[in-house]
Amino acid sequence: MDLWKKFKTSPLNLNLALDLLRQADQEVEKMEPIRILLAGKTGSGKSTLVNALFRENIASTGVGLPVTQKVQKITKKGLPLVIYDTKGLELHSKSQDESIQHLLHLVKDAKKGDAVEPIHLVYYCINATMARIEPQEITLIAMLAQELPVIVVLTQAIGEDIKGFKDSVKKAVPQVQGVIPVLAKDFELAGGQKIKAYGLEELTKHSYEFVPEEVEKAFINAQRVDLALKIAQSRSWANKYMKTTFGIGLTPLPIADSALLVPIQITMLAHITSIFGLSIDKKQIVSMMAGVGGTGLASMVGKYLASSAAKWVPGVGSVTGGMVNGFTASTVTLALAYSYIEILKQITLAENQGKKLLPKEITALMRKTFGQELETISHRFPDKVKDSLPEWMTNSLDQYE
């Protein structure tokens, strides 16, 4: 029987999928958003930068609310990110001093928490094609850097003398936390040749160094550039859940008691989903569950490993058996987490290319990845158990065809 047809109609798997998505949404809602002040003159490429750096094209689709006459607050539901965009910041006008002071008051008030929420980071954008930083900008950047971490972003960074311009900006504003050239989108030259986009990953990594700990998860969720950062954070949380399931395995209950393990595993997967920040749906979740036979096959794997271990662990008693069960529970949980992370990675890569994985593709990939991860993680078991995994996995999975 086709795996997808079997599991898409299962009330248990549909309910688990809905529960997972609900918990993932709750995790995102609990995140304190990362708040970024976006400054720079008109035409400095602020919107293009933000849309390339973060999910959901927030500069185009986000809701803008006026905070002050010069600053607009941009947010989007489900995205733990707030952009304070300095609209119409003109530094050549007669009111330039007023504009500068106006912006500084906003930053200081935000820092104290008096008027708005704290701002965590400043991106000051300069169009690199102009190859010039003006005295008024130097004054403003220096003042902002006294209050908050400031990264100067050289947008539209095309040309042979980008390094020279970068060095001159560094010299002009040594107080900033970095000067990073960025080409946010591929640039097409005459004749059809393209200059590939670059600098976004460097900007993301550099920004993360100055993000306060309380908004790290929000930044990882919101950014769309550094997939490795999402994977590393997800694996870190998976390891924490692994320790929890190890404790459950020590209890004098069956190793794969779904009543205990499944709720923890669903919460773990929801947590991982919130870190990735993907807009996945219940059909995709059920497809991934189908790849491991729903909760049933994961439980069978655990029971198999525990029973196999009992054959070669002499005198399995309450203590030794508990250790075997605990290790087995944590192994299955970690394999489930790592395979889920890999699928989210593949979904992300597909979306970045304008594609979407089909449910059957997700199911097949999850089935394959779960088996590989289980075999890899279980290397800590004696060879007798490890070597038996591939044949057993094949035979067991055949029951679900």
Side-chain angles (χ1 to χ4, degrees):
M1 182 178 182
D2 181 82
L3 271 173
W4 169 243
K5 289 181 180 178
K6 180 174 182 177
F7 285 96
K8 72 177 179 178
T9 56
S10 166
L12 174 62
N13 285 293
L14 286 173
N15 288 338
L16 288 177
L18 291 172
D19 188 35
L20 191 159
L21 292 174
R22 177 184 58 80
Q23 289 191 50
D25 289 341
Q26 289 176 345
E27 284 291 329
V28 175
E29 288 174 4
K30 288 190 296 185
M31 293 179 185
E32 179 181 352
I34 172 75
R35 301 181 188 91
I36 297 175
L37 176 64
L38 189 63
K41 297 191 303 180
T42 301
S44 58
K46 294 179 294 178
S47 295
T48 301
L49 174 71
V50 168
N51 284 340
L53 201 58
F54 297 109
R55 300 191 292 111
E56 306 290 350
N57 287 328
I58 185 172
S60 303
T61 61
V63 177
L65 297 174
V67 176
T68 68
Q69 186 180 359
K70 298 288 185 181
V71 179
Q72 186 179 41
K73 178 181 177 180
I74 304 175
T75 61
K76 192 173 191 303
K77 185 174 176 56
L79 184 65
L81 171 69
V82 177
I83 297 292
Y84 290 100
D85 189 7
T86 55
K87 296 288 185 181
L89 182 65
E90 298 300 339
L91 299 179
H92 281 301
S93 65
K94 294 179 181 179
S95 60
Q96 67 179 35
D97 289 340
E98 180 184 343
S99 297
I100 290 175
Q101 291 305 317
H102 184 86
L103 192 55
L104 289 174
H105 279 306
L106 171 69
V107 169
K108 289 179 180 179
D109 287 345
K111 189 176 181 181
K112 293 184 293 185
D114 291 348
V116 291
E117 302 95 337
I119 295 172
H120 304 110
L121 190 63
V122 178
Y123 289 149
Y124 192 94
C125 297
I126 300 175
N127 191 324
T129 59
M130 306 301 292
R132 173 179 170 79
I133 180 170
E134 301 182 15
Q136 297 89 346
E137 290 183 294
I138 293 173
T139 300
L140 176 56
I141 292 170
M143 289 181 175
L144 289 172
Q146 290 178 2
E147 306 295 334
L148 293 168
V150 177
I151 298 176
V152 175
V153 184
L154 306 181
T155 62
Q156 287 293 300
I158 304 170
E160 297 179 358
D161 198 32
I162 292 299
K163 184 180 183 305
F165 182 46
K166 175 181 175 180
D167 292 341
S168 68
V169 173
K170 277 184 176 180
K171 185 176 180 180
V173 284
Q175 309 92 334
V176 301
Q177 301 298 337
V179 179
I180 300 180
V182 169
L183 182 60
K185 298 193 302 184
D186 292 352
F187 186 84
E188 189 167 345
L189 300 170
Q193 292 182 314
K194 287 184 178 180
I195 300 176
K196 297 293 292 181
Y198 75 94
L200 289 171
E201 187 168 347
E202 181 185 356
L203 178 58
T204 302
K205 291 182 184 300
H206 198 65
S207 300
Y208 186 64
E209 295 177 15
F210 300 99
V211 168
E213 184 177 354
E214 62 269 21
V215 293
E216 283 182 353
K217 284 176 64 177
F219 180 79
I220 293 172
N221 171 293
Q223 64 86 21
R224 71 194 308 176
V225 176
D226 193 344
L227 187 54
L229 187 58
K230 293 179 185 286
I231 293 171
Q233 183 78 357
S234 297
R235 287 196 165 210
S236 175
W237 277 101
N239 290 332
K240 294 177 183 179
Y241 280 98
M242 177 192 70
K243 294 176 183 177
T244 301
T245 54
F246 181 88
I248 289 178
L250 290 176
T251 62
L253 294 170
I255 170 60
D257 190 332
S258 296
L260 293 176
L261 285 181
V262 171
I264 293 175
Q265 291 169 342
I266 291 297
T267 299
M268 173 187 70
L269 299 183
H271 206 144
I272 292 170
T273 304
S274 73
I275 291 169
F276 265 79
L278 281 173
S279 300
I280 55 178
D281 56 37
K282 66 180 180 182
K283 193 170 185 179
Q284 291 172 308
I285 296 293
V286 173
S287 297
M288 284 185 262
M289 289 181 176
V292 291
T295 58
L297 184 55
S299 297
M300 287 173 58
V301 173
K303 289 177 181 177
Y304 170 80
L305 289 175
S307 63
S308 297
K311 297 175 183 177
W312 48 261
V313 176
V316 173
S318 60
V319 176
T320 307
M323 291 298 291
V324 171
N325 286 350
F327 188 76
T328 305
S330 61
T331 297
V332 172
T333 298
L334 197 61
L336 180 63
Y338 279 17
S339 54
Y340 185 79
I341 291 168
E342 178 61 26
I343 304 309
L344 294 186
K345 171 187 171 182
Q346 295 304 323
I347 291 175
T348 301
L349 292 173
E351 286 188 356
N352 290 344
Q353 298 173 2
K355 302 176 183 177
K356 188 171 183 177
L357 293 181
L358 298 174
K360 287 186 177 181
E361 293 176 314
I362 293 174
T363 298
L365 189 56
M366 184 70 176
R367 177 169 33 174
K368 176 182 177 182
T369 306
F370 179 68
Q372 291 173 339
E373 291 292 352
L374 189 64
E375 183 179 0
T376 299
I377 294 169
S378 66
H379 75 276
R380 285 164 282 189
F381 281 89
D383 289 342
K384 184 175 180 181
V385 177
K386 178 185 174 184
D387 291 343
S388 66
L389 280 175
E391 181 179 357
W392 180 86
M393 284 294 297
T394 301
N395 293 339
S396 296
L397 287 169
D398 286 344
Q399 297 176 20
Y400 290 88
E401 292 293 348

